[in-house]
Amino acid sequence: MFSIERLRLRLIRLPLVAFFETSFSRIYDKTFILVSLDGNGVEGLGECVADTDPYYSAETNVTAWHVIKDFIAPLVLGRTYAHPRDVFPSLARVRGHHMAKAAVEMAAWDLAARLQNAPLGQLLGGTRTEIASGVSIGIQDSLDDLAGKVARELDAGYRRIKIKIKPGWDVAAVEAVRARFGAIPLMVDANAAYTLADADRLAALDRFGLMMIEQPLEYDDVRDHAALQRRIATPVCLDESIHSVRAAEDAIALAACRIVNIKPGRLGGHAEAIRVHDVCAAHGIPVWHGGMLESGIGRAHNIHLASLPNFSLPGDIAASRRYFVPDLIEPGIEVSRDGTVPVPTGPGIGVTVDWDRVAAATLEMHDVKA
Ligand code: NPQ
Ligand code: MG
């Protein structure tokens, strides 16, 4: 049982260590909303994964700020919850806006875990003490640059390499990586850059024995993914399309994918993410934890969630230093030589926030009490 007495929003901008390019954009810094919830003498933190532009999903930092401030805050402030799983249903009147909802919901889980003096993973139902870590390598300026990045990440110990693809940066990129590095655990992510008319081009990836191809087709197109999966041997993994438990059930029923990427921000928070995890487990669909270039705060949430049993493939949960130097937490998330990240054992998300760094990176603030 916990009460939400105060909500704070901070708009934060952090420079990225290196640019990150996907089929939809190239970014040099990350701008996001940090949510703090105070109640019962403790503070919970959540990080919103909306971007500056509506290119990965329809939400942006501006829509999330608006929806949290004007619609979600009035629903949660002054309210007492028996359990953090009750937060998402309490926001049902607000349609969509899962990233906005998730940032608040996840802060509530952190708050509840801290109140019990328990690590967040324990409340979520996690069963692992460490998780397997993979990397997502953006589109590069040249195949040489790509090979250099892959070499560095394999050297660091990461358990799986994902490369971003788009039309014009696909077969040749995969061919170059396979030629130089052999049978490494390798997958690709298209961020919805293709259509079913590209099926032959995507089938040309079959000979490389990829672990999976992530979200090749439109963000809202489950039926065409099912048609594509019938035409290619590489397992399809859905990311953008899995925006709810129902979307996951539909995708599984239509055989649109064999693997699911879970991001709590896309689903409305930890509780919905756990439901998708459970639905997938019941159908024998393995899941892995996606990434949204989170700071150490969002990254810590992801690690706890990824400690649940059906997260059986390495996630996009890499070390802080791949993205932010310095990070907002100290020490940052570290990856061991064998490509694993320990699940923090302290209360809540279990990482230490450097509030001076947060203050220095804050562009705007909103503070409201019950
Ligand atoms: C994906 N992430 O799996 C996403 C895409 C992505 C690590 O590959 C700001 C907000 C930047 C959202 C960059 C990875 C982002 C973003 C990439 C999402 O599809
Ligand atoms: Mg993806």
Side-chain angles (χ1 to χ4, degrees):
M1 189 121 100
F2 62 95
S3 302
I4 298 180
E5 294 150 17
R6 181 180 183 183
L7 177 149
R8 265 169 295 181
L9 300 181
R10 288 180 180 84
L11 185 68
I12 292 177
R13 180 168 301 150
L14 295 176
L16 286 167
V17 166
F19 73 80
F20 190 80
E21 183 172 330
T22 59
S23 62
F24 58 84
S25 76
R26 178 186 282 202
I27 59 170
Y28 294 85
D29 44 44
K30 178 79 198 285
T31 308
F32 60 93
I33 300 166
L34 180 64
V35 176
S36 303
L37 295 181
D38 290 4
N40 310 78
V42 303
E43 179 179 28
L45 297 174
E47 179 171 333
C48 183
V49 299
D51 199 353
T52 302
D53 310 301
Y55 300 158
Y56 169 84
S57 83
E59 291 183 81
T60 69
N61 285 313
V62 173
T63 70
W65 188 277
H66 162 55
V67 169
I68 296 172
K69 175 165 92 52
D70 296 331
F71 299 103
I72 296 176
L75 286 172
V76 301
L77 280 168
R79 187 157 175 165
T80 299
Y81 289 95
H83 193 279
R85 78 169 71 89
D86 301 331
V87 174
F88 182 79
S90 79
L91 308 176
R93 192 176 183 194
V94 177
R95 302 263 166 98
H97 296 284
H98 284 176
M99 293 177 175
K101 289 180 180 179
V104 174
E105 195 252 20
M106 292 164 81
W109 278 94
D110 182 32
L111 193 162
R114 284 174 198 269
L115 263 181
Q116 294 180 32
N117 214 26
L120 174 60
Q122 193 177 308
L123 262 75
L124 295 171
T127 53
R128 293 170 216 277
T129 58
E130 58 179 39
I131 59 145
S133 179
V135 283
S136 175
I137 299 179
I139 292 163
Q140 304 295 317
D141 288 331
S142 70
L143 293 176
D144 269 356
D145 287 359
L146 177 63
K149 294 259 172 170
V150 173
R152 194 178 67 188
E153 306 305 358
L154 288 173
D155 216 48
Y158 287 103
R159 296 266 182 109
R160 155 300 245 157
I161 301 288
K162 157 168 141 183
I163 65 171
K164 293 290 193 177
I165 59 167
K166 65 177 179 182
W169 183 269
D170 45 31
V171 176
V174 173
E175 192 162 38
V177 173
R178 276 281 184 248
R180 168 119 179 239
F181 302 98
I184 58 167
L186 182 66
M187 60 172 287
V188 293
D189 185 359
N191 287 109
Y194 297 88
T195 73
L196 201 51
D198 301 309
D200 288 342
R201 177 124 201 114
L202 297 170
L205 292 169
D206 280 347
R207 68 187 166 98
F208 298 109
L210 299 172
M211 297 168 76
M212 69 194 89
I213 178 168
E214 182 178 347
Q215 197 70 39
L217 311 180
E218 273 289 8
Y219 74 98
D220 59 350
D221 191 340
V222 171
R223 191 173 53 167
D224 278 355
H225 277 102
L228 178 69
Q229 183 66 95
R230 289 191 291 270
R231 289 176 59 176
I232 65 175
T234 308
V236 170
C237 169
L238 289 177
D239 173 358
E240 285 89 330
S241 291
I242 307 297
H243 53 84
S244 66
V245 175
R246 187 171 292 124
E249 289 169 338
D250 290 349
I252 294 168
L254 288 168
C257 63
R258 296 188 193 140
I259 300 171
V260 166
N261 168 324
I262 290 182
K263 293 174 178 170
R266 195 186 60 226
L267 291 160
H270 283 308
E272 291 297 287
I274 293 168
R275 292 182 63 208
V276 171
H277 163 278
D278 293 349
V279 162
C280 290
H283 289 88
I285 303 278
V287 304
W288 55 277
H289 203 300
M292 294 290 280
L293 275 51
E294 291 92 343
S295 82
I297 294 166
R299 209 164 281 271
H301 270 284
N302 296 350
I303 294 166
H304 285 283
L305 181 60
S307 72
L308 270 68
N310 193 36
F311 283 92
S312 52
L313 294 162
D316 278 346
I317 306 178
S320 291
R321 71 165 60 91
R322 276 200 83 232
Y323 296 102
F324 308 108
V325 177
D327 199 340
L328 297 181
I329 58 167
E330 192 61 49
I333 305 294
E334 302 270 2
V335 172
S336 71
R337 295 291 311 152
D338 68 339
T340 61
V341 179
V343 181
T345 54
I349 56 175
V351 292
T352 304
V353 175
D354 184 331
W355 287 105
D356 291 336
R357 274 181 208 157
V358 170
T362 298
L363 306 172
E364 207 176 324
M365 208 164 151
H366 175 74
D367 188 345
V368 55
K369 296 190 179 93

